[in-house]
Amino acid sequence: MEITGTLKIIGNKETGISKSGKQWAKQQVVVTTSETYPQDIAIDFMGDKIMQLNQYKVGNPVVVSINIRGNEYNGKYYNSVNGWKIATTIAQVGNQHQNPARETSDLPF
């Protein structure tokens, strides 16, 4: 699934150690969607996926590939939104327009 919008917040990197003794790292971003009724969506990047965020700044237009996770704890259900890829919307739009132009061209060469 993908979310398209503008980076509103880039949070600080958080680290810790789980109960099993493994280290973890997390960084949260907030994307304001580009819809008729915009929504602010908090997205967590975990582990080595965090490095992708280094090249982005607040205000950048982005497309974020996400997974939605859900779990139950003591009879209550919780959801999380995890990002695994982030890209600028400008690059993606540029690539989409270049390839179809070649395929639909009626030039003889």
Side-chain angles (χ1 to χ4, degrees):
M1 179 178 280
E2 290 183 339
I3 294 179
T4 302
T6 304
L7 275 175
K8 180 176 183 176
I9 298 170
I10 301 174
N12 294 325
K13 181 178 174 181
E14 300 175 34
T15 58
I17 299 176
S18 68
K19 291 180 183 179
S20 63
K22 293 184 179 182
Q23 286 191 337
W24 58 266
K26 173 176 100 167
Q27 189 168 2
Q28 187 176 77
V29 299
V30 176
V31 175
T32 302
T33 61
S34 22
E35 302 173 323
T36 304
Y37 301 103
Q39 300 291 311
D40 291 337
I41 308 294
I43 303 168
D44 295 328
F45 280 79
M46 307 291 286
D48 61 345
K49 306 296 184 197
I50 293 172
M51 293 187 320
Q52 297 178 61
L53 301 175
N54 292 338
Q55 61 185 334
Y56 294 95
K57 295 181 180 170
V58 171
N60 287 148
V62 293
V63 175
V64 182
S65 298
I66 63 165
N67 291 326
I68 299 175
R69 306 255 186 237
N71 59 32
E72 181 267 336
Y73 179 74
N74 288 338
K76 292 188 177 186
Y77 290 85
Y78 300 89
N79 298 318
S80 62
V81 180
N82 297 322
W84 53 272
K85 181 180 168 187
I86 185 169
T88 59
T89 56
I90 296 167
Q92 295 217 349
V93 169
N95 289 339
Q96 289 174 356
H97 289 299
Q98 288 173 0
N99 293 337
R102 283 189 227 154
E103 294 172 5
T104 59
S105 176
D106 59 348
L107 295 174
F109 49 91

